[in-house]
Amino acid sequence: MSDPRDILRTKAAELGFDVCRFASASAPWSAGERLAHFVEAGRHGEMGWMETTLERRAHPTAMWDGARTAIVLGMTYGPTGDPLPEMADASAGYISVYARGDDYHEVIKGRLKTLAGQLASRLDAEVKVFVDTAPLMEKPLAQRAGLGWQGKHTNLLSREHGNWLFLGVILTAAEIEADTEETEHCGSCTACLDACPTNAFPAPFQLDARRCLSYLTIEHAGPWPVEFRAAAGSRIYGCDDCLAVCPWNKFAEAAQEARLTARAALVSPRLADLAALDDTAFRALFSKSPIKRIGRDRFVRNVLYAIGNSGDDALIESAEALLDDRSPLVRGAAVWALSRLMDEPAFAGLREARLTGERDSDVRAEWSLLPLREKVAAEG
């Protein structure tokens, strides 16, 4: 009988996957223990689902006791060049490379189901499909399967594809021979750790999500801690610094899947345009995009922090218009942006006029915490 791995790899390539490898889903591993330490230290921040599903995340068989083999697939989403120079334009927003095209969950899931169906039919075995939407630790499985290794920034890193791989997993009850596990090849390099604008790595191979701009822009629901706002620069959704500086990216290729390539409207979008988005316009702009998940208010909060960092006085009007926004989260971020852009007398006068009429405690706290641009600059 022919090796089912060869057949599945051929089918996976036909479906647009760049890599397909196999790992044991039932053998012991230490990834669950590492995750438990991460949660115990509170480094997951507001991502409470990580704590509530901790036991199910500990091992693939904790979620499905029938799992025996993991088929781990990767699809590259690499950019055409280094994206970080885009941040030189402080009046434009920076959106993480992974979110510039269609939502990868939707792109990958249908193809995984097709492949899983072929697998189930050929091997007469039960299968389950995962694309970062269930309590399954894909990155340790990917390392076990030989796709790459978790680098010092904790992201999966491949010698063939650099940092730019979306992952999908098929678990099956079938026993399929495993590929060789990948080993770590970071060596003495600390480029990813050194590049982090908020010092989110307490040590190599460890992340404190509470300090990470990807977490803050996407998962954090309320106003950001003040200490991280200036460091965000123009990053309005995600952060690529630790990924983009990795030397292994020299081997990476740009995304071949059209739906994962960047939309022109999401490369260096103007902050003034984004600040003007109401809910309807936000949903239209980010149709089929992963950005839609965080909602308009949280996104415009991020935009306003970037406006505050822009140094562009022309954006004062955009921020001031949002002082009357229905969302306290947006109003508070507008206060911070204006405290950074307006001169001292102008901001002091605005504060006096506005503070007495503001009823939300968080917004009042912003007015009180950040009375002068000089104070904010010193704290930043």
Side-chain angles (χ1 to χ4, degrees), residues 113-126:
K113 288 182 176 180
T114 298
L115 186 62
Q118 295 173 344
L119 168 65
S121 176
R122 182 173 185 82
L123 299 181
D124 190 26
E126 190 176 357

Side-chain angles (χ1 to χ4, degrees), residues 143-154:
Q143 179 161 344
R144 175 172 282 186
L147 270 77
W149 69 96
Q150 286 189 258
K152 293 179 181 178
H153 52 14
T154 75

Side-chain angles (χ1 to χ4, degrees), residues 122-191:
R122 182 173 185 82
L123 299 181
D124 190 26
E126 190 176 357
V127 296
K128 296 182 185 294
V129 169
F130 304 91
V131 191
D132 191 28
T133 53
L136 180 71
M137 298 176 70
E138 292 99 340
K139 288 185 287 186
L141 274 176
Q143 179 161 344
R144 175 172 282 186
L147 270 77
W149 69 96
Q150 286 189 258
K152 293 179 181 178
H153 52 14
T154 75
N155 293 293
L156 190 77
L157 178 54
S158 164
R159 286 188 284 182
E160 291 79 28
H161 303 285
N163 293 266
W164 316 109
L165 269 180
F166 288 133
L167 298 176
V169 177
I170 301 170
L171 293 183
T172 178
E175 295 277 4
I176 302 175
E177 183 181 351
D179 289 311
T180 302
E181 182 171 352
E182 180 63 282
T183 56
E184 181 250 308
H185 297 284
C186 291
S188 61
C189 178
T190 59

Side-chain angles (χ1 to χ4, degrees), residues 34-345:
R34 294 197 302 270
L35 179 63
H37 290 322
F38 173 80
V39 172
E40 183 179 357
R43 291 177 177 172
H44 61 304
E46 294 180 357
M47 295 183 288
W49 42 267
M50 296 193 75
E51 184 173 0
T52 57
T53 62
L54 185 59
E55 290 186 5
R56 296 175 65 203
R57 290 178 182 275
H59 193 276
T61 56
M63 184 177 58
W64 178 29
D65 59 8
R68 293 295 174 266
T69 302
I71 301 96
V72 188
L73 300 108
M75 186 177 291
T76 183
Y77 67 97
T80 55
D82 181 3
L84 297 186
E86 296 171 17
M87 286 187 282
D89 184 354
S91 297
Y94 182 89
I95 293 173
S96 182
V97 171
Y98 92 87
R100 296 179 179 186
D102 286 3
D103 189 336
Y104 70 94
H105 299 90
E106 299 303 320
V107 174
I108 292 177
K109 192 169 186 177
R111 302 179 193 197
L112 277 181
K113 288 182 176 180
T114 298
L115 186 62
Q118 295 173 344
L119 168 65
S121 176
R122 182 173 185 82
L123 299 181
D124 190 26
E126 190 176 357
V127 296
K128 296 182 185 294
V129 169
F130 304 91
V131 191
D132 191 28
T133 53
L136 180 71
M137 298 176 70
E138 292 99 340
K139 288 185 287 186
L141 274 176
Q143 179 161 344
R144 175 172 282 186
L147 270 77
W149 69 96
Q150 286 189 258
K152 293 179 181 178
H153 52 14
T154 75
N155 293 293
L156 190 77
L157 178 54
S158 164
R159 286 188 284 182
E160 291 79 28
H161 303 285
N163 293 266
W164 316 109
L165 269 180
F166 288 133
L167 298 176
V169 177
I170 301 170
L171 293 183
T172 178
E175 295 277 4
I176 302 175
E177 183 181 351
D179 289 311
T180 302
E181 182 171 352
E182 180 63 282
T183 56
E184 181 250 308
H185 297 284
C186 291
S188 61
C189 178
T190 59
C192 59
L193 309 183
D194 299 337
C196 181
T198 54
N199 297 312
F201 302 104
F205 308 105
Q206 296 181 31
L207 171 69
D208 187 340
R210 296 168 297 184
R211 302 184 62 88
C212 175
L213 290 175
S214 286
Y215 165 81
L216 289 166
T217 56
I218 299 170
E219 303 293 346
H220 186 73
W224 293 10
V226 177
E227 64 180 299
F228 302 124
R229 298 179 187 178
S234 61
R235 301 168 188 84
I236 56 174
Y237 189 91
C239 178
D240 290 326
D241 293 44
C242 67
L243 301 177
V245 299
C246 179
W248 284 105
N249 286 332
K250 64 185 177 182
F251 299 110
E253 295 182 353
Q256 298 301 306
E257 166 55 49
R259 293 173 63 190
L260 297 180
T261 58
R263 305 178 191 175
L266 302 188
V267 179
S268 298
R270 310 316 299 174
L271 293 174
D273 295 336
L274 298 177
L277 294 174
D278 60 15
D279 190 65
T280 300
F282 170 82
R283 290 178 175 275
L285 178 61
F286 296 112
S287 173
K288 299 183 179 180
S289 164
I291 298 174
K292 187 168 71 171
R293 179 176 70 87
I294 69 170
R296 176 262 181 188
D297 296 348
R298 199 180 300 187
F299 181 76
V300 174
R301 169 203 63 186
N302 299 343
V303 170
L304 283 163
Y305 291 153
I307 285 176
N309 292 327
S310 69
D312 184 355
D313 291 348
L315 290 172
I316 291 176
E317 182 178 355
S318 296
E320 193 165 2
L322 291 169
L323 289 175
D324 293 315
D325 195 81
R326 57 169 178 72
S327 167
L329 182 64
V330 171
R331 296 200 302 274
V335 173
W336 188 85
L338 291 167
S339 74
R340 299 273 286 181
L341 294 178
M342 298 177 75
D343 61 41
E344 179 180 333

